[in-house]
Structure formats: C-alpha cells, structure tokens
Amino acid sequence: MELLSKLNRLLFPCAGEYEKLGVKKSLALGFQHAFAMSCATILVPLLTGLDVGVALFCAGCGTIIFHLCTGGRMPTFLGSSFAFISALCGVIGNSGFGATKDEQIAAAMGGIIVSGVFYLLLALVIKLFGKGLIDKLFPPVVRGVGITLIGLNLAGSAINNIQTQYGPDGTALPLFGQGYDMAAYVWAWVLAGVVCLLAVFLSSCGKGMVKMSSIVISLVSGYVLALLATKTGLAPASLMDTGVIADYGWIQAPHFVTPTFNITAIGMIAPIAIVTCVEHVGDVYANGAVVNKKFTENPGLHRTLLGDGLATVFAGFVGGPPNTTYSENTAVLAATGNYNPASLRVAALVAIGVSFLGKAIGVIQSVPNCVLGGACIVLYGMIASVGLRTLVENHVDFTKNRNLCIAAVMLVLAIGGAAIGNATFSFSNIGLGIIVGIILNLVVPEGKDVPGMVAHTVEKEEIVPERKGR
C-alpha cells in the first residue's frame, strides 16, 4: 500500500491537499461515484449506436488523463457528452459515411478527434491571453441559447425511442400506419411514463444518493417492469430483446474502432465542441464553488481544457464518445461531502474494469428503447432548461434588440435544419447556430439596436381610480 501511496503522490502531486482516505473508504466512495456517473455515461452509446464497453473504458481512461493534466487537484469525473448525440446519430447509421456500422463509427471518430483538438487550441489561447477571452466570445446570451438548442434538438430522439417501430426489413414503420402495433405503442408509453414520472419524483423529492441516482433507479425500475410485462405476456415481446445478453461472454474486450477522417463528418461533429467548451468552463466554476477552491486559477482553465481535450482525442482514437466534465459529478460531491479526488480515480478504475464484463454490457444493451425514451424526456428537457436557467441567472435582457436578434437567428438556424457549405463540407444545425451567434455577438455593437428591428414592450397602463357615484 505504501508503494501505491508513493505512486499516487508522484503522478498526482496535489494529492496531499486533501484529507487521506482509508482503503475501504476509498473503495466504497469510488464505487458509489462510479454508480452515480454510469447512467449518463452508458446512455450516450445506447442512443448513438456506439459500444457501451468502449464508452465506459473511455470514461475511466479520460478521467485518469484529466487528473494527470491537473495534478490530481480537481475532483472531476469525465463521462460521455450528451451534446454530441444529435451529430453522432447523423453520421452513425448513415450509409453516406460507410457501408458498415464500423465504417460509420470510424468517420464519426475523426470528428471527435478534431473536437478534442479544438479544446487543446482553446487551452493554448487561454494560456496566452487569459480566460477573459471566453467571456468575450461566449456571453450569456450565446451560452444560454446554445445549451437550450442542444436539448431542443434532442427532443425528437426521445420521442422516437418511444414511438418508433420497425418492420421485418428494419425500416421504420409510419406512425399508426399499416403494420404498426398499437398494443406495443400503448405499452411503450406506459413504460416510458413510469420511468419519466419516477425520475421526476426522485429528482425532486429524493435526498442524498437517491436523488443523485434518480435516473439509474428509474431505468432499473423500468427495465424490471418491462421484463415482467413481456415475459408474462401482458406486453408484446417485441418491446424487449434479452437474447442479446447471450451474445456476450462473461469476460469480453470492448469493440474498439480506429478513426478515419471524413471532412463532412468533421463539419457535422466538431463545431459542437464550441458549446461543450463553454459547459466545461461552467463546470469548473461550479466544482470550485462546492469544494471552495479556485480551480480556474489553480490548476487553471488551460490545464482543465487540456485534460478534457486529450481525453476526447483518446476516445476518438479507440471508438468512444467524446468526454466531458459532468455536472452530475459536482452534485454528488455536494451530496456526499467527499471532495478527495482519489475516490474519483477509484471510480475511473471501476469503469475501466466493468468495460470488460461482457454480460453486464449485454444487460445494458437489452434495455428497451421506450425505457430509455422515458428517461431521456427528463434528461434532454433538463439540458434545455439549464440553457434557460443560464439566461435567467445572468439577467439577459430580452428587451434589447441585440439580444433578441442573436437568439432569434440562432434558434431558427439550428431548429430549422439550415446547412451552409456543400456535399463535401458543411456546418449545420446546432453548430451553425452557435457559430453565427458568436459572429453576431462580435459584430453587432453593444447597446445599439439592429435597424428595422424593434423590441416592443408593453407600457404599464395608468390606472385611474373609479370615482364613486359613476
């Protein structure tokens, strides 16, 4: 154990800043943290078609990379980023990026690597010019609307997980059309509704780890309910396929995929890093507020972005989803009162270990789409709501034409599906909306209205007391 302690101090020189944890306590807290982080981490590969084992492996390795870059000072766990789901789904499953799924994943990985490189470049810029540049490029109106757009663009995915049914040839059946199973439709919404309501109830009324693990508990409950309903014949068997578990061995290596660089895929995926970098900065501030340390100064934003970027580049080289700092991580820190980064490194090792347990991955793969959809109603809605909260907390004034115009253009370009470019390279959807928002913020003068645009405000009507006798 003394050897491990020396190795810990060598690799993570800031380890001495925190109170030492015993072996048993470190393991217990590490498993608890890994459990709390696992839900969101595995949801991304389930929704995008990536390998769950690779996602867990990348989360664990990415967390270790982050701690190495920051000297082990910041108690952070890196997991799969939700912001990239829509863009990844546009590449994986699209025959235009390859005839096989592995070829499509490989093309997506090229975009993920470029996303990580963007982190590294931004880390260099902040090192040279200071973190004030972030506030200049990403004011609250751009940050808030950008985060909201991520949630809104994912909304359709959540509903499709519940309602979409597939024919024998694998094509999606038209809603309520020929061959569409109404019994499966009703049961899908019942299961999704139970998961959604349970997640809302536990998240709102739960305490401690119950609250932090509300999504995990909801998913497990929905899984068990779906299993009972399908095995007893109450619900159509098509809702759940447990046969996939048999396809996995007890010990099985994750399905790694090496990247290829497709410029169209890069154009779809890489711009999302603009938003996730802003989210990263917010997470660093929030994490520091809980732990009562100024992580923006020590280790500094340049080091935290370096760690996040290298973790994302690593994920791209092995076939995993891009990594990001987790707000859920900060919530677990606040709930448990344990701030020692050593326990998070234990959680990372647990994630790496589980990634090689084939049967566990098989169980995860067998989670019904409608159960995932019920959880995603809450998760995706919360992403959009966080964006709105960003606007409110930063007192973004929408009586100003400037803010109205920036938000309006971003919303329409992203939600309307606009694309600028050609068949080889293009910016579209969220990435395009955010880039245009940044440009408008830089070119539209502060405090001046855009000609021809008027922000109408309702003046308070003067109320004259009614005279008696009239």
Side-chain angles (χ1 to χ4, degrees):
M1 295 309 298
E2 182 62 28
L3 178 63
L4 290 176
S5 297
K6 289 182 178 179
L7 183 63
N8 185 54
R9 289 193 295 270
L10 174 65
L11 297 176
F12 311 105
C14 296
E17 292 185 16
Y18 295 86
E19 183 181 353
K20 289 184 178 181
L21 299 172
V23 176
K24 291 182 179 179
K25 193 172 183 179
S26 294
L27 289 173
L29 290 171
F31 272 96
Q32 174 181 260
H33 216 98
F35 179 75
M37 298 296 102
S38 64
C39 176
T41 298
I42 64 176
L43 265 180
V44 174
L46 286 177
L47 294 168
T48 59
L50 295 173
D51 187 82
V52 174
V54 176
L56 289 170
F57 180 81
C58 290
C61 292
T63 299
I64 298 297
I65 291 171
F66 182 90
H67 282 238
L68 288 171
C69 290
T70 57
R73 187 169 197 261
M74 186 173 168
T76 296
F77 188 94
L78 267 60
S80 308
S81 174
F82 275 75
F84 290 84
I85 289 177
S86 181
L88 289 174
C89 288
V91 176
I92 302 170
N94 187 336
S95 59
F97 295 97
T100 66
K101 184 178 179 181
D102 277 4
E103 290 176 349
Q104 296 158 10
I105 292 175
M109 292 305 106
I112 289 173
I113 290 173
V114 175
S115 298
V117 171
F118 180 85
Y119 274 84
L120 304 183
L121 293 175
L122 187 59
L124 177 61
V125 169
I126 291 177
K127 174 66 175 176
L128 296 175
F129 300 101
K131 63 185 179 67
L133 181 66
I134 292 288
D135 297 326
K136 178 67 176 177
L137 293 176
F138 307 107
V141 64
V142 175
R143 294 202 307 266
V145 176
I147 295 170
T148 300
L149 286 173
I150 293 173
L152 293 178
N153 271 269
L154 290 170
S157 175
I159 302 305
N160 286 337
N161 279 333
I162 301 169
Q163 296 185 159
T164 302
Q165 297 180 14
Y166 299 92
D169 58 351
T171 59
L173 297 172
L175 187 64
F176 308 140
Q178 185 177 2
Y180 194 84
D181 189 344
M182 286 303 297
Y185 165 81
V186 172
W187 268 100
W189 269 110
V190 168
L191 293 170
V194 169
V195 173
C196 178
L197 291 174
L198 186 59
V200 170
F201 178 79
L202 294 177
S203 179
S204 303
C205 305
K207 295 181 179 180
M209 284 306 299
V210 172
K211 183 173 184 176
M212 294 303 101
S213 307
S214 59
I215 300 297
V216 176
I217 296 171
S218 303
L219 282 171
V220 171
S221 301
Y223 185 93
V224 172
L225 181 59
L227 186 63
L228 292 174
T230 53
K231 295 305 180 183
T232 57
L234 291 175
S238 60
L239 285 175
M240 189 175 192
D241 178 21
T242 55
V244 68
I245 301 174
D247 297 336
Y248 289 84
W250 286 102
I251 304 297
Q252 183 170 327
H255 182 63
F256 297 114
V257 178
T258 55
T260 59
F261 293 90
N262 180 298
I263 194 166
T264 303
I266 291 172
M268 293 173 63
I269 295 172
I272 308 300
I274 298 172
V275 173
T276 54
C277 282
V278 177
E279 289 179 328
H280 171 97
V281 174
D283 285 336
V284 173
Y285 275 108
N287 197 295
V290 170
V291 183
N292 197 27
K293 291 179 181 288
K294 293 183 178 180
F295 294 131
T296 55
E297 299 176 5
N298 183 13
L301 280 176
H302 62 291
R303 285 188 173 274
T304 63
L305 281 166
L306 174 67
D308 210 337
L310 289 177
T312 296
V313 169
F314 173 83
F317 274 109
V318 298
N323 281 318
T324 187
T325 51
Y326 265 12
S327 300
E328 293 93 331
N329 171 76
T330 303
V332 174
L333 294 176
T336 61
N338 166 51
Y339 307 145
N340 194 319
S343 62
L344 280 87
R345 295 192 281 274
V346 172
L349 295 176
V350 170
I352 294 171
V354 173
S355 70
F356 288 87
L357 299 179
K359 290 297 182 185
I361 304 302
V363 171
I364 294 170
Q365 293 276 26
S366 68
V367 177
N369 285 340
C370 58
V371 172
L372 288 174
C376 288
I377 290 175
V378 179
L379 287 171
Y380 296 166
M382 286 181 70
I383 294 174
S385 299
V386 167
L388 297 177
R389 188 181 71 184
T390 300
L391 296 172
V392 173
E393 289 180 346
N394 288 277
H395 307 289
V396 177
D397 187 358
F398 279 108
T399 64
K400 292 184 177 179
N401 290 338
R402 183 180 188 277
N403 292 335
L404 276 177
C405 291
I406 292 173
V409 174
M410 290 178 67
L411 287 166
V412 172
L413 290 178
I415 298 175
I420 293 179
N422 53 40
T424 303
F425 181 79
S426 64
F427 290 111
S428 60
N429 299 329
I430 303 172
L432 176 61
I434 293 168
I435 290 172
V436 172
I438 292 171
I439 294 173
L440 287 176
N441 172 65
L442 294 174
V443 301
V444 178
E446 187 77 40
K448 294 184 180 181
D449 289 341
V450 177
M453 295 293 294
V454 180
H456 296 283
T457 57
V458 179
E459 299 291 341
K460 291 184 178 180
E461 183 180 352
E462 184 180 355
I463 301 176
V464 180
E466 185 179 1
R467 295 181 182 177
K468 292 183 180 181
R470 286 189 61 184

